[in-house]
Amino acid sequence: MKKTVSINLNSFMFVIDEDAYNVLHVYLNKLEEHFSNIEEGGEIVKDIEARIAEIFNTKRSESKQVINLSDVEEVIGILGNVEDITGDEPDEKTTEKESKKTKKLYRDPEYKYLGGVCSGLAEYTGISVSIWRIIFLILLFAGQVGVIAYLILWIAVPEAKTTAQKIEMKGGKITLSSIEKTVKQEFEDVKKNFKKMKTSNLSETLNNLWNSFGSIFKVFCRVFGKILGVSFLIAGAAIIAITTIAFISVGKDNIVFTSDFINMVWLPGLLKYVTNTGTAWFISICLLFVFIIPVIAIINWGLILLFNVKTNKYLSLSTFAVWIFAIILTVVAFINVGASFRATETITKTETLAVDSLNTYYFSLSPEFKDICLPDGKHCESGKGMHFCIDSHYLLFDNNKLKSFVEIEFIATNDSVAGMELKYNANGPNKNEAKENIKSISYTYSVDTNTVYFEPYINIKTNKWKAQEVKILIKIPYGANLIIDKNLSDFINIEDITGKFEDSEMTGRELLSTKQGFVVKDIND
């Protein structure tokens, strides 16, 4: 049984067996002795200890908590012995080769404007930092993609804080020599900056002012960050709560959930009227990912701003990749659905209308459709159905039956008798299927002597919406009279040539057909 020793390396506690401890102790003593005569020696030894602690942390697991001799020898093999430090510059080809093998992505804190993302990407890819900044500016002006991508990289990519991380960022091999060289360079940079500050009183004054401003700005940012964090958490939690209520409250048998506070549409239930059930659910799930991932990101940012919570970069990048993939799938699915509306077909039916002895035509809504949901959005007394407007098509969902409102247009004509044209339109992926979709339209009207009674909407027998519609064109001869009942006011299109009346105001009045159009006979009313 070997004796173990507890040691502290870079504020990390390790349990190490006695043999390993003796070797490590001798190694660190040699390092301290070697660097004791150098001004920045203490900082070099500290960074070397930090690197040793990083490697030791990778050696620990649930089944292994004690650092053994082989672990210490591996560390010495990676960093090198004191005797190996020659100070010679490495071969350029060798450095390039090692750089390609060991280079890691970090945010560069030394040349940053905001988070050091662009300077870090420049080190990792070898592309100029200016080019990366131009790319993000272009993405920023193109939309919010640039901001989202930059913020995600800012959160997901760690900052190069330690000397070892700075060496990894530049693609160097982490050895005693490279750590020594990096620390010396940092000390030299500090000295140069300090000398520049001493040579100019103006520079010193400006620097002090800048530091004071920076301190005030940091305090402001901290306070604003906390407020922003709370806002992000509240907004994210509210959106997720509303989404959860929508999924719980609305089911497949009804596409609309209405309460005193919330009006929601059950998306899979709505999309099933446009495409098949599988595609409807596929699009709905993709849209859920597209919508909910940014909300989760907002909540995560709120936690970071409030509690400085660390995020897993691999998890963040994976989530971002899922979000982009969901967007692509959603676009492709919608393009596929849109292809089923590519072709348009029309079938026209005509009918001659009778007239009474007074040369007057009458038009009204069928009596059984008194209580309907009108396309102007008025509440219907029966409480049945729900309206949607898609590309100027008014759709009614009544007891899970799909219906579409008709359009009735009146024009004056020089024909001797009145006529009516019914144009049946529908879309499809090709002409043949568009014609088949027209057959799904069920529409009836009735004529009683000189009165025409219209149904307000068409029934779509297949319950699949393919832009089915019926447009009714009524031609009234010059000199003839017509009366349109008020219950048709929401379905008609008729022009008053005097410009005094809207379409709905011309109902319930006696109108005269002229060469210029229609006029109200009782205009003095």
Side-chain angles (χ1 to χ4, degrees):
M1 181 174 65
K2 288 187 178 181
K3 182 179 178 182
T4 60
V5 180
S6 296
I7 62 172
N8 185 316
L9 276 178
N10 194 40
S11 300
F12 287 96
M13 294 299 298
F14 296 95
V15 178
I16 182 171
D17 69 42
E18 189 173 18
D19 293 340
Y21 172 76
N22 292 331
V23 174
L24 180 63
H25 182 68
V26 171
Y27 181 70
L28 292 176
N29 283 340
K30 285 184 179 181
L31 290 176
E32 291 177 358
E33 183 180 351
H34 175 78
F35 292 112
S36 61
N37 296 324
I38 304 174
E39 181 182 357
E40 57 274 8
E43 189 67 26
I44 295 172
V45 173
K46 183 179 178 182
D47 284 335
I48 293 171
E49 288 183 357
R51 179 56 180 162
I52 294 173
E54 287 179 7
I55 299 174
F56 278 175
N57 271 324
T58 64
K59 301 296 180 183
R60 292 195 295 191
S61 64
E62 292 184 4
S63 59
K64 179 189 175 185
Q65 293 293 325
V66 179
I67 304 299
N68 55 36
L69 181 59
S70 63
D71 296 330
V72 174
E73 289 175 344
E74 184 180 343
V75 167
I76 296 173
I78 293 171
L79 297 178
N81 289 294
V82 177
E83 293 81 4
D84 298 330
I85 304 175
T86 61
D88 296 332
E89 291 293 327
D91 180 69
E92 188 175 338
K93 293 182 179 179
T94 304
T95 303
E96 184 180 353
K97 185 177 180 182
E98 290 176 351
S99 174
K100 291 179 181 178
K101 290 183 179 180
T102 61
K103 188 178 287 189
K104 291 185 180 180
L105 179 60
Y106 289 98
R107 290 185 289 112
D108 188 356
E110 295 182 5
Y111 300 98
K112 68 178 182 180
Y113 280 150
L114 290 174
V117 172
C118 291
S119 52
L121 287 171
E123 288 287 357
Y124 186 73
T125 61
I127 300 173
S128 171
V129 65
S130 300
I131 294 176
W132 279 109
R133 284 168 180 158
I134 291 171
I135 290 172
F136 277 102
L137 281 174
I138 293 173
L139 291 174
L140 174 63
F141 287 112
Q144 298 180 350
V145 178
V147 177
I148 294 173
Y150 191 92
L151 289 175
I152 289 175
L153 288 172
W154 194 344
I155 294 168
V157 178
E159 185 180 74
K161 295 180 179 179
T162 67
T163 301
Q165 289 173 338
K166 292 175 183 178
I167 295 171
E168 283 182 320
M169 179 179 67
K170 296 180 182 296
K173 189 175 180 181
I174 304 173
T175 63
L176 298 180
S177 179
S178 62
I179 293 175
E180 178 187 11
K181 182 179 177 181
T182 303
V183 173
K184 283 184 176 180
Q185 184 62 48
E186 290 177 352
F187 266 78
E188 287 298 322
D189 292 341
V190 172
K191 286 180 181 178
K192 288 179 182 178
N193 292 333
F194 183 72
K195 287 180 180 179
K196 288 180 181 178
M197 291 171 62
K198 289 184 69 176
T199 55
S200 172
N201 291 330
L202 178 60
S203 298
E204 185 177 358
T205 303
L206 292 175
N207 187 66
N208 290 333
L209 289 173
W210 176 255
N211 288 337
S212 300
F213 174 77
S215 300
I216 296 171
F217 183 72
K218 284 180 180 178
V219 172
F220 172 79
C221 287
R222 287 194 189 100
V223 174
F224 180 74
K226 300 298 182 184
I227 296 173
L228 198 61
V230 172
S231 302
F232 282 171
L233 285 177
I234 293 174
I239 293 171
I240 289 179
I242 291 172
T243 306
T244 304
I245 292 172
F247 273 91
I248 293 175
S249 303
V250 184
K252 64 180 181 179
D253 295 328
N254 57 311
I255 64 166
V256 179
F257 170 75
T258 304
S259 71
D260 294 335
F261 304 99
I262 303 172
N263 291 311
M264 294 179 181
V265 174
W266 178 246
L267 190 58
L270 177 62
L271 290 176
K272 76 175 183 180
Y273 289 100
V274 180
T275 183
N276 58 70
T277 304
T279 303
W281 273 100
F282 178 78
I283 293 175
S284 300
I285 292 171
C286 287
L287 283 174
L288 179 63
F289 276 98
V290 171
F291 176 76
I292 210 71
I293 287 177
V295 175
I296 294 173
I298 289 173
I299 294 175
N300 187 47
W301 293 339
L303 292 173
I304 291 172
L305 290 171
L306 281 175
F307 308 111
N308 197 25
V309 177
K310 292 184 178 180
T311 58
N312 187 298
K313 66 176 182 179
Y314 299 107
L315 179 60
S316 300
L317 290 174
S318 300
T319 306
F320 179 69
V322 170
W323 184 61
I324 295 297
F325 188 57
I327 291 175
I328 294 171
L329 290 178
T330 303
V331 172
V332 171
F334 272 116
I335 291 173
N336 183 54
V337 172
S340 64
F341 291 80
R342 187 165 39 200
T344 304
E345 277 294 306
T346 302
I347 295 176
T348 302
K349 297 180 181 179
T350 61
E351 181 170 334
T352 301
L353 301 179
V355 65
D356 65 0
S357 58
L358 298 176
N359 197 27
T360 302
Y361 299 89
Y362 299 89
F363 303 92
S364 180
L365 195 66
S366 297
E368 62 267 29
F369 295 100
K370 177 178 67 174
D371 297 330
I372 62 167
C373 294
L374 300 178
D376 64 356
K378 294 178 181 176
H379 178 68
C380 56
E381 295 179 10
S382 61
K384 298 178 182 178
M386 182 68 187
H387 285 96
F388 288 91
C389 182
I390 303 177
D391 191 24
S392 76
H393 297 271
Y394 285 101
L395 301 179
L396 171 67
F397 299 91
D398 188 3
N399 293 325
N400 290 324
K401 298 297 182 182
L402 183 60
K403 303 175 181 181
S404 179
F405 288 99
V406 297
E407 299 177 27
I408 306 173
E409 182 178 2
F410 293 84
I411 63 170
T413 179
N414 60 359
D415 295 341
S416 57
V417 293
M420 184 168 62
E421 289 184 359
L422 289 88
K423 293 184 177 180
Y424 294 76
N425 301 315
N427 287 15
N430 52 60
K431 294 287 186 180
N432 291 332
E433 291 199 31
K435 288 180 180 178
E436 288 298 317
N437 290 330
I438 289 178
K439 295 179 182 179
S440 69
I441 298 174
S442 174
Y443 181 71
T444 58
Y445 62 94
S446 60
V447 180
D448 180 13
T449 60
N450 61 335
T451 302
V452 182
Y453 294 97
F454 297 103
E455 289 190 1
Y457 45 70
I458 66 173
N459 291 285
I460 301 174
K461 293 182 288 187
T462 59
N463 250 17
K464 295 293 181 185
W465 185 72
K466 297 298 178 183
Q468 296 98 327
E469 64 178 1
V470 173
K471 292 185 176 181
I472 303 173
L473 181 63
I474 299 175
K475 300 177 181 179
I476 304 297
Y478 300 149
N481 303 313
L482 72 153
I483 296 176
I484 306 170
D485 196 278
K486 287 183 178 294
N487 56 27
L488 279 178
S489 60
D490 293 290
F491 304 95
I492 66 167
N493 180 15
I494 182 169
E495 184 179 0
D496 169 30
I497 62 173
T498 65
K500 294 184 178 180
F501 300 98
E502 299 292 337
D503 289 346
S504 60
E505 294 173 331
M506 296 183 71
T507 59
R509 300 172 181 270
E510 187 175 2
L511 309 177
L512 175 66
S513 175
T514 70
K515 291 183 179 181
Q516 291 77 31
F518 296 98
V519 296
V520 179
K521 295 184 71 174
D522 54 343
I523 196 167
N524 294 323
D525 288 356

